[in-house]
Amino acid sequence: MIIADYEFAGEGMQRVFENEKWTVGIKNWKPANDVTGMDCLERHNKTDELFVLTEGACTLIYANETEKGLEFGSVKMEPGKVFNIPATLWHNTITQKDTKMILIEDSNTSMENSDILMLDKDQIAAIRSLA
């Protein structure tokens, strides 16, 4: 046996390790996660998702569904802390070009059990004000 290590230096997210229970990915900045490129939120309907900021800066954006519509919130990530996105919570990340995060999720997380919500211009403006 040997100890394996993994890395990813490209834009966006890449799963670097996966087994039958969980997946570890490396998530780097990409244009869609820049404050000027954000246009949607996502949610995973069956599983939580964990993020750990290792480099740069990231703001987690989230939205709860209420009778009045979406209520937005944000959390500025701190390096080395584990941030849990509960299942069914609308969310996305706003990052800068030097950002690198570790993402951990159930290996069954996919677009078959997740949703994407495209945002209108007012919702995008609300998110930009939180970044």
Side-chain angles (χ1 to χ4, degrees):
M1 265 191 243
I2 63 167
I3 295 176
D5 59 41
Y6 307 93
E7 63 184 338
F8 172 62
E11 288 183 2
M13 199 280 284
Q14 180 174 317
R15 291 179 170 190
V16 295
F17 176 84
E18 191 166 1
N19 66 24
E20 67 280 350
K21 294 181 182 180
W22 46 274
T23 294
V24 176
I26 297 175
K27 183 174 171 120
N28 300 325
W29 176 89
K30 65 178 180 180
N33 289 120
D34 193 271
V35 69
T36 61
M38 173 82 48
D39 66 355
C40 68
L41 298 175
E42 65 178 41
R43 68 177 174 195
H44 307 298
N45 296 309
K46 295 187 176 185
T47 64
D48 290 5
E49 182 175 34
L50 302 171
F51 289 112
V52 180
L53 179 67
T54 61
E55 296 176 32
C58 178
T59 301
L60 292 170
I61 301 295
Y62 64 92
N64 287 295
E65 294 178 285
T66 70
E67 292 175 5
K68 297 178 183 179
L70 293 177
E71 288 187 4
F72 296 101
S74 67
V75 175
K76 295 217 183 281
M77 291 182 70
E78 296 177 44
K81 286 190 175 182
V82 177
F83 292 84
N84 181 56
I85 310 296
T88 74
L89 180 65
W90 290 109
H91 67 281
N92 209 330
T93 57
I94 296 177
T95 59
Q96 298 173 349
K97 285 195 176 189
D98 62 347
T99 300
K100 183 178 286 287
M101 295 184 286
I102 304 298
L103 167 129
I104 304 159
E105 62 188 0
D106 186 284
S107 64
N108 294 323
T109 303
S110 70
M111 290 315 299
E112 292 176 4
N113 53 34
S114 300
D115 297 311
I116 300 290
L117 175 67
M118 298 307 296
L119 301 170
D120 64 31
K121 66 178 183 171
D122 293 333
Q123 293 167 326
I124 291 170
I127 284 175
R128 286 181 178 167
S129 73
L130 297 172

